[in-house]
Amino acid sequence: MAIEGVAKTVLLGVEMGMTLVLVTVGLTLIFGMMDVINFAHGSLYMLGAYFGLTVVTVTGNWWAALLVAPLLVGLLGGLIEYFSIRPLYGRNPLYHILLTFGFAILLHGLVTEIWGGQVQNIATPALLEGSVDLALFSYPLFRLFLLGVSIAVAAVLWAAMRRSDFGIVMRASAHDSEMVDALGTDVKRVFTAVFVLGSILAGLAGVLLGTSRAVDPGMAASIIIQAFAIVVIGGLGSYRGAVVGAFVVGMLNAFGPTFAPQFTDALLYLLMAAVLLVKPAGLFGNPEGA
Amino acid sequence: MPSERMSDEKRSVQFSRRKFLAGSGATVAASLAGCFGGGAGSSGSDSVKIGFVLPFSGTYSFLGESIVNGVKLRLDEQLDGEIDGRSVEYVRKDTGADPATGASITQEFLQSENVDFIVGPVSSAVAGAMKPEIASSGSAIWLNANAGNYKLVQDNCTKYHFRTSFNTWQTSAPLASYINDNIADNVVLSYANYTFGQQSKNLFREEFENVGGTVVDEIGAPLGTSDYSSFLQEIENSGADAVFSFFAGSDAVNYIKQFSSFGLNGKMTQTGSGFLLSADTLQAQGTAALGMYSLLHYTPTKQTDRNQAFVDAYSGQYDTTPNVYACQGYDSALAAELAVTEAGGTETDPMVSSLAGAELDSPRGYFKFKSSTHDPVMDMDIRQVVEADGGVQNEVVETLTQVEGPTWGCDL
């Protein structure tokens, strides 16, 4: 591989990895805080894409979709948490798995009913069309934008969790929610807020990736499998793990077709198996990993 | 709304069965038998019963619905629900994408529902599981409305199988000489790495090398890949002047969009099997697909009177343009119509004889069931994506007439 090839593949890996962070962070935060394994997370991502599609169709403005669709998904996520997940806190985690799995099936059916089963796509905004010349190679502008947004979101979240009051409450609740509750913070409201935040991020990823990729009812299942694998590799519940895991998987996706063309789809699971053998809790899997 | 249609239909099927039993003065015992699925009387000699073994849920549900729409356009709308004075009844069950489910539905339709025709499936894997059931039963005609695997004909071919769709050879190999003559004498192959993709790639490769072209490299991507960027880099590195691909559905949209966003459309000519750039993906692919070539047996924009009549009727009924699956459904209905009319009834063997070698007046153009394989002999369109009002569409640049393909040792 020539130097340009390597450089481009590295950039591809970083971009694919960081984009996945938008999905995996929500998944891992929700688990880390509430011990809820959210199978509907991929469906919220899918809804982001479909809401985005409708907003673009109605207003003709992609930027409006980027703003409105994630908020709508956040609202829906809040309603799901408040009315269905909240009553099940404290029970066996299996209840949450069954519940969110049910939502995944329900939302799949609803989306097919409302938007149809055919493949669609959100048109790229004119401002972000074309490629940028990066000296060694040129790269699609939209994908650079995706990378920028993902890095910004990951950085803001990280800073917020380290520095803000809400971040401190979040980390404390993840560590010992009963104690936080006893100290006078309404943990249930924190849980709802985190679920809404995770949903907004999933919705944002839906609009962004629904523009560079196909939008169809199968997109929920395909992202959730990969996202879970990443979160398991990084350590369930760990923010750092979700970011590092996504980064590693991005690199794997980028270099896989060159070095192991016949095994690209198996690589992710081989990596997951290898990590679990060495570190059963994942790379950063301990309660304080966040 | 698909599910509304489905429940309406279930109701009407149940209703007609009840009506039949009541009308024939059946005893309580007989009606119980009917309720429990042993209703041998449900397919009376004066009716034609069609069983849909198709996906109505999951990734391929859209294809299943399109096939049903095509069948019903002919039988319900154009023939008022009757073939040669016999009323048409339907049963339908969802295969999902599961071969075992497909096999058990087929068995049920053959044994309990006594269907005269089986229409489906979408997936070749499901078709493989259905074949032994149909071959051993011999009580119904199988109108294969989408499964293209050529091995269905190669291994133990059965006379009850009539392909109203295409085989994998037809949607790949015939493009080879056109590419070699008009586009490039060297290609890289890219394909979804599963049976259908591998078959298309291999059959194309064989033909392309036969006509003197060179295959530089081949690159398989897992089925359902959403980001093709690193595969695209391999394709670009191959240095080929053209690329032949097999991808379908959302894979085709992802692949084509990303192919062009990385600027590969300025460096090499994209060609492929028609599913890569079909009516149901083009809308989403948009201008990224401009200038690309593909090969398929049905093109909605084909300028013939026969096709125009079909497109008008279909759009009038369903408010959307027909796709290749709808055409395959429509042709399945034409085949059922011809079989029952020519054979003067629903006896299976006489229907087989009337269909073998028969021609259908298909919207796709020339269509005949080849006597030795029961695969279609048909016109294939080479299309190029061009700009159109509010988007892009396929324009037929050349029609290959009466494309047959190999018999793979089948001699019925």
Side-chain angles (χ1 to χ4, degrees), chain A residues 8 28 42-43 66 88-89 102 115 125 142 156-157 182 194 200 202 205 207 217-218 229 233 240 244:
Chain A
K8 189 172 172 185
T28 210
S43 313
L66 188 66
L88 299 178
Y89 286 130
W115 284 280
F142 186 81
V156 167
L157 269 181
V194 169
I200 289 175
V207 181
I233 288 168
R240 204 187 317 164
V244 174

Side-chain angles (χ1 to χ4, degrees), chain A residues 19 45-46 48-50 52-53 62 120-124 142 146 202-216 219, chain B residues 253-254 257 284:
Chain A
T19 312
Y45 159 79
M46 168 175 72
Y50 277 102
L53 196 65
W62 186 83
Q120 304 183 63
N121 181 254
I122 306 174
T124 315
F142 186 81
L146 251 177
L204 180 69
V207 181
L208 289 169
L209 291 180
T211 306
S212 63
R213 297 178 183 179
V215 176
D216 78 331
M219 66 190 289
Chain B
V253 173
N254 284 325
K257 289 268 296 182

Side-chain angles (χ1 to χ4, degrees), chain B residues 354-412:
Chain B
S354 356
L355 280 177
E359 279 183 38
L360 299 181
D361 180 24
S362 162
R364 64 181 95 172
Y366 185 85
F367 184 109
K368 187 180 95 175
F369 289 114
K370 191 167 173 158
S371 305
S372 57
T373 59
H374 299 177
D375 261 351
V377 176
M378 60 185 165
D379 293 348
M380 300 291 305
D381 298 326
I382 297 172
R383 309 94 53 92
Q384 186 177 25
V385 180
V386 296
E387 283 188 78
D389 294 340
V392 299
Q393 67 176 35
N394 274 313
E395 186 178 88
V396 177
V397 293
E398 190 172 322
T399 297
L400 309 173
T401 53
Q402 304 190 18
V403 176
E404 291 201 27
T407 58
W408 295 289
C410 174
D411 188 15
L412 294 168

